[in-house]
C-alpha cells in the first residue's frame, strides 16, 4: 500500500474543541476539529463524543470532523423528549444546518449507526458517504443485557447506581473481569461499558438512556431493522466496519448488511469487540481515509431514488453466500421493520 501523505496541520487545529449551539431551545454539545470535507461522527447509546477521541484528531488532519453529543447524552441537554432514531436524524440535520455544513460523510457507531442509516434515508441530499461501525438496526438480534434493560423495571434499575458504593463495586468487579478476560473482545469492551455506566447515575441521563433504549429495543430484541431499505444505498458509497468478536451487535449483522447493500465495502477487525476504533485506531483511520479517497461522493438524484423506490427490493441485488442471502431474506420476512 502506498504511504499516505500526512498533510499535517497546526496542532491547535487538530485538537477537538467543545462547542455548544442552542437549537429548538435545547443546548447541543459537539466537538469539532480540522478543516476540509466534513465528517460527522455519531456515537452509540449512553456514550458521548469523547468516544471518538482516539481517531478524531487524526482524521482532522484531512477533514473537518464534527462529533456531537446526541440529545440526552454527554454535555447536551437531557429533556423529556423524543429519542427515536428518526428524531436523532432530524437533530443531526439541524446541527449541520446551523454549522453551515451542506454535505458530510456520516460515520455511525452502534445506535449511531442506526441514526446514520436513518439520516441517509431521510436526508440523502446531505450525504456523500455512509460508514457504519458495529451498527444497530440490521436485524432484531442484540445483546441480552440490552433486552433486559428495556423491560419495564430494567431501566429503572439504573437508579441503584446512585446508591453509595454500588457503582464503585461494579467498577472494581469490571476491572477484575477485564483482567480475567484480558485481550479478548469482551475484555477490551469492559472499560468502555464501565465508562458509560459511570455517566448514567445522574437522573436525567438515566431517563434519557431509558427513553432512547426503549425506542429501539424491547424484550425480543431490536424493534426495527434497516434491511428492507438497504437497497436505497445503491446511490451512496457505503463502508461497514465491525469487530469479529462484537458481543453487542454480532459480526453476522455486518455480513448481512454487506449482502443487502449492493457495492458496499466490508472490513472486519479480527479480535476486536464492539469498539474497533478503540482497539486499533490507526487501522480505523486508515480504513476511513482509504474508503473516502477511493470513492466519489454521492450526487443526489431524485429521479434515480424515485426509480429505486418504485422498483423496490430485488432479490437479485442481495449478494454473498447462500446462507447469508437466506438470512437476509428471512430477517426481512420476519423482523419488525421501520414505518418511518
Amino acid at each position: 500500500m502506498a504511504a499516505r501523505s500526512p498533510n499535517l496541520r497546526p496542532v491547535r487545529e487538530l485538537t477537538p474543541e467543545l462547542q455548544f449551539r442552542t437549537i429548538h431551545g435545547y443546548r447541543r454539545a459537539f466537538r469539532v476539529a480540522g478543516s476540509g470535507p466534513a465528517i460527522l461522527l455519531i456515537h452509540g447509546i449512553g456514550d458521548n463524543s469523547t468516544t471518538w477521541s482516539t481517531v478524531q484528531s487524526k482524521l482532522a488532519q484531512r477533514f473537518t470532523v464534527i462529533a456531537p453529543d446526541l440529545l440526552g447524552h454527554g454535555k447536551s441537554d437531557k429533556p423529556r423528549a423524543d429519542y427515536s432514531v428518526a428524531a436523532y436524524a432530524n437533530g443531526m440535520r439541524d446541527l449541520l444546518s446551523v454549522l453551515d455544513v451542506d454535505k458530510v460523510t456520516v460515520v455511525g457507531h452502534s445506535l449511531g449507526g442506526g441514526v446514520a442509516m436513518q439520516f441517509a434515508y431521510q436526508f440523502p441530499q446531505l450525504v456523500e458517504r455512509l460508514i457504519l461501525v458495529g451498527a444497530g438496526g440490521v436485524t432484531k438480534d442484540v445483546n441480552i443485557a440490552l433486552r433486559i434493560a428495556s423491560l419495564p423495571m430494567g431501566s429503572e434499575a439504573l437508579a441503584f447506581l446512585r446508591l453509595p458504593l454500588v457503582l464503585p463495586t461494579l467498577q472494581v468487579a469490571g476491572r477484575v473481569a477485564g483482567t480475567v478476560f484480558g485481550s479478548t473482545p469482551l475484555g477490551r469492551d469492559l472499560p468502555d461499558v464501565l465508562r458509560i455506566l459511570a455517566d448514567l447515575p445522574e437522573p436525567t441521563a438515566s431517563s434519557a438512556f431509558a427513553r432512547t433504549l426503549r425506542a429501539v429495543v424491547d424484550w425480543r430484541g431490536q424493534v426495527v431493522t434497516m434491511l428492507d431499505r438497504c437497497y436505497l444505498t445503491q446511490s451512496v458509497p457505503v463502508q461497514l466496519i465491525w469487530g469479529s468478536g462484537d458481543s453487542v451487535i454480532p459480526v453476522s449483522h455486518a455480513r448481512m448488511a454487506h449482502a443487502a447493500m449492493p457495492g458496499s465495502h466490508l472490513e472486519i477487525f479480527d479480535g476486536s469487540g464492539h469498539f474497533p476504533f478503540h482497539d486499533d485506531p490507526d487501522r480505523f483511520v486508515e480504513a476511513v481515509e482509504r474508503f473516502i479517497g477511493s470513492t466519489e461522493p454521492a450526487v443526489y438524484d431524485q429521479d434515480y431514488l424515485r426509480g429505486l423506490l418504485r422498483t423496490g427490493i430485488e432479490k437479485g441485488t442481495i449478494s454473498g453466500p447462500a446462507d447469508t442471502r437466506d438470512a437476509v431474506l428471512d430477517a426481512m420476512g420476519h423482523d419488525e421493520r421501520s414505518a418511518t
Side-chain angles (χ1 to χ4, degrees):
M1 182 181 300
R4 292 184 288 110
S5 174
N7 192 25
L8 296 176
R9 303 182 189 279
V11 173
R12 62 179 175 79
E13 188 180 19
L14 302 183
T15 302
E17 178 187 357
L18 179 63
Q19 298 185 18
F20 299 91
R21 295 290 188 277
T22 298
I23 303 174
H24 308 312
Y26 297 123
R27 191 176 75 158
R28 315 290 181 119
F30 62 96
R31 299 174 195 274
V32 62
S35 61
I39 295 178
L40 178 68
L41 302 175
I42 309 177
H43 64 75
I45 189 169
D47 213 336
N48 60 73
S49 57
T50 63
T51 197
W52 300 107
S53 61
T54 54
V55 299
Q56 186 173 5
S57 292
K58 295 175 183 178
L59 288 170
Q61 293 178 8
R62 293 185 168 191
F63 307 97
T64 298
V65 188
I66 304 162
D69 286 347
L70 293 174
L71 198 68
H73 295 72
K75 296 186 179 300
S76 288
D77 282 348
K78 301 171 181 64
R80 184 176 183 272
D82 180 1
Y83 290 113
S84 66
V85 171
Y88 277 132
N90 290 339
M92 295 300 94
R93 183 268 320 270
D94 294 343
L95 177 62
L96 292 176
S97 181
V98 167
L99 298 179
D100 293 324
V101 176
D102 297 324
K103 293 276 190 177
V104 290
T105 290
V106 188
V107 183
H109 172 241
S110 199
L111 168 75
V115 175
M117 186 69 181
Q118 186 70 26
F119 180 83
Y121 171 61
Q122 291 178 204
F123 312 111
Q125 71 277 13
L126 304 181
V127 178
E128 293 187 331
R129 298 172 190 84
L130 180 63
I131 302 176
L132 305 179
V133 186
V138 179
T139 81
K140 67 181 180 182
D141 294 335
V142 73
N143 187 283
I144 186 64
L146 291 177
R147 299 186 189 208
I148 294 172
S150 72
L151 294 173
M153 294 304 296
S155 300
E156 282 70 13
L158 292 172
F160 287 107
L161 295 176
R162 294 195 285 273
L163 296 177
L165 300 181
V166 171
L167 184 58
T169 301
L170 283 176
Q171 290 174 326
V172 170
R175 284 193 289 270
V176 171
T179 301
V180 171
F181 290 105
S183 61
T184 65
L186 179 58
R188 289 174 174 171
D189 284 346
L190 276 173
D192 286 297
V193 173
L194 293 174
R195 174 177 56 82
I196 291 170
L197 280 177
D199 290 337
L200 293 183
E202 199 276 320
T204 58
S206 58
S207 176
F209 175 88
R211 288 177 177 275
T212 303
L213 181 64
R214 288 171 180 163
V216 292
V217 174
D218 64 16
W219 66 272
R220 294 171 297 176
Q222 297 189 79
V223 175
V224 297
T225 74
M226 66 174 75
L227 289 177
D228 63 337
R229 56 199 68 189
C230 278
Y231 69 96
L232 294 174
T233 61
Q234 292 178 62
S235 63
V236 59
V238 177
Q239 182 179 44
L240 304 163
I241 299 176
W242 238 268
S244 65
D246 194 326
S247 60
V248 179
I249 309 291
V251 70
S252 59
H253 289 210
R255 298 189 176 96
M256 292 173 68
H258 180 49
M261 295 179 170
S264 60
H265 299 245
L266 173 61
E267 183 146 357
I268 295 175
F269 284 32
D270 290 333
S272 285
H274 191 52
F275 296 81
F277 51 95
H278 290 178
D279 296 336
D280 195 342
D282 288 338
R283 180 182 173 186
F284 182 86
V285 169
E286 179 71 33
V288 169
E289 290 185 340
R290 185 173 62 249
F291 173 68
I292 293 176
S294 63
T295 56
E296 292 296 324
V299 176
Y300 178 63
D301 186 336
Q302 181 60 52
D303 290 336
Y304 180 67
L305 283 175
R306 184 180 293 114
L308 289 176
L309 285 165
R310 286 174 174 167
T311 302
I313 302 169
E314 294 183 308
K315 293 182 180 180
T317 64
I318 301 174
S319 62
D323 58 342
T324 301
R325 295 198 305 270
D326 290 343
V328 170
L329 293 171
D330 182 66
M332 286 195 293
H334 294 92
D335 288 356
E336 289 84 356
R337 293 186 282 174
S338 176
T340 56

